[in-house]
Amino acid sequence: MRTRTLGTTGPQVSALGLGCMGMSALYGEADRAESIATLHAALDAGVTLLDTGDFYGMGHNELLIGEALRSAPAAAREKALTSVKFGALRDPDGGWAGYDGRPAAVKNFAAYSLQRLGVDHIDVYRIARLDPDVPVEETVGAIAELVEAGHVRHIGMSEVGADTLRRAAAVAPISDLQIEYSLISRGIEDEILPTAKELGIGITAYGVLSRGLISGHFTRDRQLAANDFRGMSPRFQGENLDRNLDLVEALRKVAEHQGVSVAQIAIAWVIAQGERFGADVVPLVGARRRDRLAEALGALDVTFDARDLAAIEAAVPAGAASGERYPAAQMAHLDSEH
């Protein structure tokens, strides 16, 4: 497994990380046994970066990862790194009630995460979305105090814009920015990615397959469960879905020419952008089954020449996606979009 360093101050991690959210929330029901088996398969393959959030299934995802770590071989468990998002407020019905970045809340969230994960420290800790009522300096300062106390190793950020990233980095070293980045979500390239590079901050890219939309496995007639977030996502709605899947079919032709899958070419494209921009970009793949994980790992062997990249660009030009990446209410919480 190749490795990357998250920025100039962050940890060394596998070149591909595992996003664990779908094992607990937002994509319909998941198989617990298969989730644990997938986590073990990832660790066996050399994947060291496990990304979660304390609000994924209201703690379920952290407990799941904790269980997988306890039952994994000691050598794999010792190499595993936890990346945790906090701050999202939920209600008993699964609703969302904003974000809390107050210093006291930061330390409270961390205490519960440490317990659920069964670890003595969190490797990368970040607020999931900027709290508009709390200066980012106060939130980052509280995480810095957790670093000083040994409860956290590195500070990350999530879905913030260039100005906020600069303010955060002025308080304490920031290892990485977690943000959506894919063939159909390229907004970070204009200002955010260059700023991260300038500041020595790595990128952990989630949504590299746009929640399965550009995986090559999503079909127009697929019926989504009532608790599947994608049923409310603009890119999965009506004509938007049709147009986006047309892009996938164009990409499929390029993938077939290279002898790889659609998912592999989409993941490999994100990896290649790190080389293009001279930045550390680590894709987080949301595999919750071993076969999907194996497919994603195959992307690490995909290489492109100039002709390949031109063909991908022709199939899925920048700005070609139809629909926003979140519903309007959630877009409003994205500092990265303002």
Side-chain angles (χ1 to χ4, degrees), residues 226-238:
N227 59 346
D228 192 318
F229 158 80
R230 292 170 293 189
M232 298 179 291
S233 172
R235 289 184 175 173
F236 288 83
Q237 302 292 321

Side-chain angles (χ1 to χ4, degrees), residues 324-337:
E324 297 285 1
R325 55 194 180 103
Y326 285 105
Q330 294 185 37
M331 289 293 290
H333 288 293
L334 298 177
D335 181 70
S336 55
E337 294 286 343

Side-chain angles (χ1 to χ4, degrees), residues 88-166:
L89 303 176
R90 308 293 301 274
D91 64 36
D93 296 320
W96 301 84
Y99 298 90
D100 192 344
R102 294 171 302 142
V106 173
K107 295 173 183 179
N108 177 77
F109 290 132
Y112 282 88
S113 288
L114 289 165
Q115 179 69 24
R116 286 189 291 254
L117 288 166
V119 296
D120 62 7
H121 69 272
I122 295 166
D123 293 286
V124 186
Y125 202 47
R126 71 187 87 237
I127 190 166
R129 299 288 186 269
L130 189 67
D131 182 344
D133 298 322
V134 178
V136 69
E137 291 85 355
E138 293 184 16
T139 302
V140 171
I143 306 175
E145 290 177 5
L146 290 170
V147 172
E148 185 175 356
H151 302 305
V152 169
R153 293 282 170 82
H154 303 280
I155 305 171
M157 297 298 293
S158 176
E159 284 289 357
V160 298
D163 289 344
T164 301
L165 199 57
R166 290 185 187 281

Side-chain angles (χ1 to χ4, degrees), residues 6-11 124 126 154-156 173-177 200-203:
L6 293 182
T8 56
T9 64
V124 186
R126 71 187 87 237
H154 303 280
I155 305 171
I174 305 298
S175 67
D176 70 303
L177 169 65
I201 297 171
I203 298 289

Side-chain angles (χ1 to χ4, degrees), residues 295-313:
E295 181 183 27
L297 289 169
L300 294 171
D301 297 322
V302 178
T303 58
F304 300 125
D305 58 24
R307 183 179 299 179
D308 297 327
L309 290 169
I312 294 170
E313 184 66 30

Side-chain angles (χ1 to χ4, degrees), residues 20 26 44 72 131 162 212 247 249 257 271 287:
C20 302
L26 300 180
D44 289 344
D131 182 344
L247 296 175
E249 290 311 304
H257 180 74
I271 295 171

